[in-house]
Amino acid sequence: MNKPLGQSETPFTKSRHEAEPHSAIVAIPANMAIEHILQALPEAVYTTDASGLITFYNDAAAELWGVRPELGRSEFCGSWKLYWPDGTPLPHDECPMAMALREKRPVRGLEAFAERPDGRRVLFRAFPTPIFDAEGTLVGAVNMLVDQSDAAVADEATQRVAAIVESSDDAILAKDLNGTITDWNRGAERLFGYTAEEAIGRSVTMLIPLDRADEEPNILARLRRGEKIDHYETIRRRKDGSLVEISLSVSPIRNRAGQVIGASKIARDITERRRAEEQQHLLLREMDHRVKNLFALASSVVSLSAKRATTPRELATAVSQRLGALAQAHALTVTRTSHASDRIEQATTLHTLLRTILAPYDRGADATTPHAVVSGPDATISGGLSRASRSCCTSLRPMPRNMGRCRPTRAASKSRAKRKATPSSSPGPSETARP
């Protein structure tokens, strides 16, 4: 129970010879008023009489309230409005100071918001203490308000970070310097298969394959030196025993003194990225192969056309026509797509495809006799056959080169103007090269 003070006695005016042995209380100079001491304190301090009317407040209290209440008229607290931490309005006659006066006991650490006239709310903790005279009669109370704004901001930031960590798709965990897991988010649950209850308190080595057991000691040694490990690609083991490729980042956790007390780990599953890289490499190799084929084809067309061309213009025309024919043949065998990405089946026939390829070579010198005749049963090419038809198209591309090497017979030379196309008697589609 609080010991009552004498009528002219305060906790600050007890003389040295009256102090108990080994007491830390010393005499206060007589010319230093108690108000001067309270005014010098950095925290908000004010006093009231037994009825709750404010009798004194320091500048720190006025700064916290945002107002300077009138002494002897404002009751219990000088703030404009009060609220509980959940936002519920707090009447002045139910605030911590009123509680201490009504119950005649100290109240410690209750939190509330003081709303200033400008609308800003300040979170504070109250420490009101009743004051009694020598006879034990309540004569007033003193209250100290501790501003919690910075603590509230820090707590809000901590909660925000915790929410971000918990909702992250990446696996995030924390461990101490012994390798014991202390934190485990939902991303870690999804990646490794362990729940937080199963993982926290166990060694992080449960995630490391036996053939990589030397990794963790090296990581811990680097952490103790305060080093950070960025994007370290490795393999870890899931709860079901399966292995997963991950990209691992490790950062040291420090206390307020700057000492490393643990580490945070961020693990990202890179399985899909690996597959995408492999597919990309495959496509690049395929593209390289096809581009080389196109260059070889273009080179063959130029070489073949150069054998018959007599002028640069004839060469350019022949090359353009023959490459254009191959482009048209390719277009006939490619499935088109609409703007809505719906597949549209494009049908062509084998005869059409062959005639398109051979078109630049179709006429002889007299512009009447064809060099090649396509005959036999025709076949429709569409959909799933397009790949086969493209292969057919590719196999026929070297054919014009051989045709270019044909030499007319002596009889044919004498009757070049009277040559006629003779259909092939073979049962399937065929092409007959003529001089």
Side-chain angles (χ1 to χ4, degrees), residues 298 301-303 305-306 313-325:
V301 170
V302 171
S303 298
S305 302
R313 180 181 296 275
E314 289 181 4
L315 176 61
T317 301
V319 171
S320 176
Q321 290 177 349
R322 292 169 181 180
L323 290 179

Side-chain angles (χ1 to χ4, degrees), residues 248-373:
L248 187 65
S249 297
V250 187
S251 300
I253 299 175
R254 303 176 185 273
N255 59 16
R256 292 187 177 182
Q259 298 173 329
V260 177
I261 59 174
S264 65
K265 288 187 173 184
I266 301 177
R268 175 170 296 179
D269 187 352
I270 60 173
T271 304
E272 291 301 323
R273 194 187 80 186
R274 291 290 195 197
R275 291 175 183 170
E277 289 176 351
E278 291 176 0
Q279 186 176 14
Q280 182 184 30
H281 294 158
L282 176 62
L283 292 175
L284 288 174
R285 289 194 299 269
E286 179 68 15
M287 184 183 300
D288 177 66
H289 173 70
R290 295 196 177 214
V291 168
K292 288 179 179 178
N293 283 347
L294 289 176
F295 284 136
L297 175 62
S299 177
S300 298
V301 170
V302 171
S303 298
L304 175 61
S305 302
K307 292 180 179 181
R308 289 178 173 267
T310 58
T311 66
R313 180 181 296 275
E314 289 181 4
L315 176 61
T317 301
V319 171
S320 176
Q321 290 177 349
R322 292 169 181 180
L323 290 179
L326 293 175
Q328 291 177 12
H330 174 74
L332 289 175
T333 62
V334 175
T335 301
R336 296 178 182 174
T337 57
S338 68
H339 293 293
S341 297
D342 296 327
R343 296 178 66 86
I344 298 177
E345 299 295 342
Q346 178 181 238
T348 188
T349 66
L350 183 56
H351 283 197
T352 302
L353 180 63
L354 294 175
R355 290 191 183 101
T356 302
I357 297 173
L358 299 174
Y361 314 91
D362 196 36
R363 298 298 176 186
D366 56 3
T368 60
T369 304
H371 276 176
V373 175

Side-chain angles (χ1 to χ4, degrees), residues 171-206:
I172 302 177
L173 60 102
K175 64 179 183 179
D176 60 22
L177 291 180
N178 295 320
T180 302
I181 298 171
T182 58
D183 293 277
W184 187 267
N185 76 337
R186 292 183 182 177
E189 291 185 13
R190 289 189 293 269
L191 180 59
F192 298 114
Y194 294 94
T195 64
E197 291 75 14
E198 293 173 326
I200 293 177
R202 297 180 61 180
S203 174
V204 74
T205 55
M206 71 179 185

